[in-house]
Amino acid sequence: MPAVVLIGAQWGDEGKGKATDLLGERVQWVVRYQGGNNAGHTVVLPDGKKFALHLIPSGILTPGVTSVIGNGVVVDPAVLLEELGGLDERGVDTSKLLVSADAHLIMPYHVAIDKVTERYLGKAKIGTTGRGIGPCYQDKIARVGVRAQDLLDEKILRQKVEAALDFKNQVLVKVYNRKALDPDQVVDSVLEHGSKFAGRIADTRLLLNQALERDEIVLLEGSQGTLLDVDHGTYPFVTSSNPTSGGASAGSGIGPSRITTVIGILKAYTTRVGSGPFPTELNDDMGELLRKNGGEFGVTTGRSRRTGWFDAVIARYATRVNGITDFFLTKLDVLSGLETIPVCVGYEVDGTRVEDMPMTQTDVHHAVPVYEELPGWSEDISGCRTFEELPANARAYVEHLEAISGARISAIGVGPGRDQTIVRHDMLA
């Protein structure tokens, strides 16, 4: 059976949690393969219960599914326990959550350095969440990181922490004029947290490949979005990992030949959190209307999301770099009531019309959107459950986005609820 990748096709916050939740009833495993608690998924169940997940895969809300935090994820032990506790209090069965032994741990010094670095950069800041994600990935690449498996060997853990703080305390004290961290306190704190989830640490690479051999379906869930990928995004205003589909293999231990379906999540418009280029951004009343009607505030940070019209250049780019086979279009209902809806079909860069993502950072910053105007609709579509029930102009809007984005739109979100979805094609067939 196949492995299926679910990725954001814009700058993140497209509604991946809703898509994961929709597909969860048909899969046996849901794997988070990169990122950390700098992302968030909101899932609304049919009974109206709303869950905000930051680190744990959305599949945790589907009974019977085994949820996995893969080796490509960076894990803050305190955040993991807090999220598990919140789910347990609300009656969610978390017994089948596993954590890869090779997942790296976000340590207190990562958070401290992240926060002071952003403040130090001032206007040049990247716009991180201050949760230690970047510094943790830096240590991973520098081969001085702490992994989940180190919680099972105090001697190794202590050696790694002491070695790390020999250098990082120098940076905190001498560069940023901050207080040094005590190695013993750091180790004791991490061990205390770790003891509460040590039983979940597993060789998830082996388990996932065994699951595929048993013809079970594995859903690989990325956080953030394509344009935040450290290699393929709007660098340097990106995250520190690979949310694109290529990162799914590295972050889970599943070979790329196992992946047969790549589902891209698109909003019917565009949003972005943090700094960086955003060609279709609306800094006016219409942008505020989209923000208000779409509830565009970050699940993790509460920050207001920047809003803009749909960008087909980005959608086509996401299709190419991810090998997207199907799109899930979310929040179509937010556009109800608009007389006309602009759609960006290309850019003008220094007087030249381009249809594809500009190659250089400079050209991306200089890109001016070229719009087509599509007729809007006034009807409330939140109760529609088939494509035919949508107003004619709403159907035409979806069909036009499909034609200019490079892959079929197989599902459409018409509201935040689990059941407020129109399925046009079976994405797992």
Side-chain angles (χ1 to χ4, degrees):
M1 293 296 289
V4 178
V5 179
L6 187 70
I7 54 95
Q10 295 158 318
W11 275 286
D13 305 308
E14 301 93 349
K16 293 180 290 295
K18 179 179 175 65
T20 304
D21 188 55
L22 174 70
L23 298 170
E25 295 179 355
R26 299 177 58 191
V27 304
Q28 289 75 48
W29 299 72
V30 176
V31 185
R32 173 81 176 273
Y33 62 82
Q34 51 75 223
N37 58 299
N38 56 339
H41 298 321
T42 298
V43 178
V44 182
L45 302 185
D47 59 6
K49 290 183 179 179
K50 182 183 290 188
F51 291 85
L53 302 171
H54 305 276
L55 187 59
I56 296 175
S58 304
I60 198 75
L61 300 175
T62 303
V65 169
T66 300
S67 295
V68 174
I69 295 177
N71 59 275
V73 179
V74 290
V75 179
D76 186 320
V79 171
L80 175 60
L81 292 176
E82 180 182 2
E83 198 160 312
L84 281 169
L87 291 169
D88 289 336
E89 287 177 5
R90 299 181 68 181
V92 176
D93 180 11
T94 63
S95 63
K96 301 189 76 172
L97 175 71
L98 299 174
V99 179
S100 169
D102 291 333
H104 279 246
L105 299 182
I106 298 173
M107 306 296 283
Y109 45 81
H110 293 139
V111 178
I113 289 174
D114 196 1
K115 289 180 178 178
V116 298
T117 301
E118 276 288 278
R119 284 197 292 267
Y120 183 80
L121 288 173
K123 292 182 179 180
K125 65 182 181 181
I126 300 299
T128 77
T129 58
R131 285 162 167 76
I133 312 298
C136 184
Y137 275 116
Q138 288 174 8
D139 278 4
K140 176 180 179 176
I141 299 306
R143 295 165 294 181
V144 294
V146 176
R147 298 186 293 177
Q149 61 178 277
D150 297 330
L151 295 171
L152 308 179
D153 189 325
E154 181 178 346
K155 182 178 179 181
I156 289 179
L157 175 65
R158 189 171 297 277
Q159 288 175 346
K160 288 188 173 183
V161 170
E162 289 175 350
L165 286 179
D166 278 345
F167 171 73
K168 296 182 191 301
N169 273 338
Q170 298 290 323
V171 174
L172 287 170
V173 174
K174 296 182 178 180
V175 177
Y176 296 115
N177 195 29
R178 293 297 189 270
K179 185 178 178 181
L181 297 177
D182 180 74
D184 290 332
Q185 290 181 359
V186 171
V187 170
D188 291 345
S189 174
V190 172
L191 282 176
E192 181 183 358
H193 288 136
S195 66
K196 298 174 183 176
F197 67 89
R200 300 179 184 274
I201 298 172
D203 183 352
T204 57
R205 253 190 313 263
L206 175 62
L207 295 176
L208 290 171
N209 280 281
Q210 288 176 337
L212 290 170
E213 290 166 6
R214 293 193 301 268
D215 287 337
E216 296 174 359
I217 298 178
V218 176
L219 181 64
L220 298 154
E221 174 186 272
S223 64
Q224 288 96 22
T226 297
L227 274 297
L228 290 179
D229 188 283
V230 69
D231 285 296
H232 306 294
T234 48
Y235 191 90
F237 303 99
V238 293
T239 193
S240 301
S241 57
N242 294 109
T244 46
S245 60
S249 289
S252 66
I254 292 175
S257 62
R258 293 279 200 174
I259 297 171
T260 60
T261 302
V262 179
I263 301 170
I265 315 301
L266 279 173
K267 270 182 186 162
Y269 49 101
T270 310
T271 63
R272 171 165 200 167
V273 172
S275 306
F278 185 175
T280 67
E281 183 172 13
L282 295 168
N283 295 303
D284 56 14
D285 291 343
M286 183 56 69
E288 185 58 37
L289 180 68
L290 290 177
R291 184 177 300 110
K292 179 181 177 182
N293 291 349
E296 298 299 350
F297 301 92
V299 178
T300 298
T301 64
R303 289 185 292 182
S304 296
R305 294 176 185 142
R306 300 157 64 189
T307 58
W309 298 121
F310 184 88
D311 189 331
V313 177
I314 289 173
R316 289 192 292 268
Y317 179 74
T319 301
R320 287 197 299 273
V321 299
N322 291 294
I324 290 173
T325 57
D326 298 82
F327 277 121
F328 188 138
L329 185 72
T330 63
K331 294 196 173 185
L332 184 65
D333 55 299
V334 175
L335 300 180
S336 294
L338 299 181
E339 186 174 342
T340 60
I341 306 173
V343 172
C344 172
V345 295
Y347 299 149
E348 187 174 283
V349 180
D350 296 333
T352 301
R353 171 76 177 264
V354 297
E355 306 291 332
D356 299 309
M357 183 66 69
M359 181 181 73
T360 69
Q361 180 180 342
T362 300
D363 284 351
V364 173
H365 279 274
H366 290 175
V368 177
V370 177
Y371 288 113
E372 287 183 356
E373 295 275 346
L374 300 180
W377 60 92
S378 59
E379 297 90 337
D380 177 4
I381 65 172
S382 61
C384 296
R385 295 296 179 269
T386 67
F387 190 65
E388 291 70 29
E389 290 176 335
L390 289 173
N393 286 349
R395 294 197 303 272
Y397 184 78
V398 172
E399 290 168 344
H400 187 66
L401 263 53
E402 183 175 64
I404 60 178
S405 296
R408 67 181 187 178
I409 294 177
S410 295
I412 304 162
V414 293
R418 174 186 276 186
D419 61 332
Q420 291 181 292
T421 302
I422 294 171
V423 178
R424 298 176 73 203
H425 308 287
D426 185 353
M427 294 182 286
L428 298 184

